[in-house]
Amino acid sequence: MDLLDWHRGRLSSRRLAVLVRHLPRDSATLDGLHGEAAQWSVTDYLLASVVDQLAEANWMFATVNRDEDADPLEYPKPVPRPGTNDPAPDSAPSPGPSTQPSDTGTEHNPSPVELAQFFA
């Protein structure tokens, strides 16, 4: 496909828009626009969320069932997602349900609307 065909009138703007909109996920254009996030599907984001929730549930269960005098368990770290800046180990929040990463503003999970716009 020669993009100069659009300038020559042999390729309509609509056809060009359809071709760009349906580029493969591993294309250089999507990688340049969205970085690593272009390679993540909705399923990947959902699986990362499930892993985070399961780790939190296991942490809560272990914390509740520990001896009161035992040292507190380290709060689980979330699965890294594209486009998020992971905090440095020194600036990690202290363990506890009130300081989950989503409460600190350092993590942004895409909303269903954002995902729909990205893949539209």
Side-chain angles (χ1 to χ4, degrees), residues 12-73:
S12 71
S13 295
R14 181 172 187 232
R15 176 73 176 145
L16 180 61
V18 167
L19 291 173
V20 170
R21 190 172 294 127
H22 295 288
L23 284 171
R25 187 171 292 154
D26 60 347
S27 70
T29 303
L30 287 181
D31 189 44
L33 289 173
H34 303 289
E36 186 185 353
Q39 298 173 6
W40 276 55
S41 68
V42 174
T43 305
D44 295 329
Y45 280 103
L46 291 174
L47 284 173
S49 179
V50 167
V51 168
D52 290 344
Q53 294 297 318
L54 184 59
E56 288 178 21
N58 288 336
W59 174 81
M60 284 189 265
F61 179 80
T63 300
V64 169
N65 292 308
R66 289 180 65 85
D67 186 21
E68 290 180 6
D69 297 330
D71 292 334
L73 295 172

Side-chain angles (χ1 to χ4, degrees), residues 61-105:
F61 179 80
T63 300
V64 169
N65 292 308
R66 289 180 65 85
D67 186 21
E68 290 180 6
D69 297 330
D71 292 334
L73 295 172
E74 183 178 333
Y75 190 78
K77 294 183 171 110
V79 173
R81 291 165 176 78
T84 60
N85 297 329
D86 294 332
D90 297 340
S91 65
S94 61
S98 63
T99 59
Q100 294 177 8
S102 59
D103 293 338
T104 62

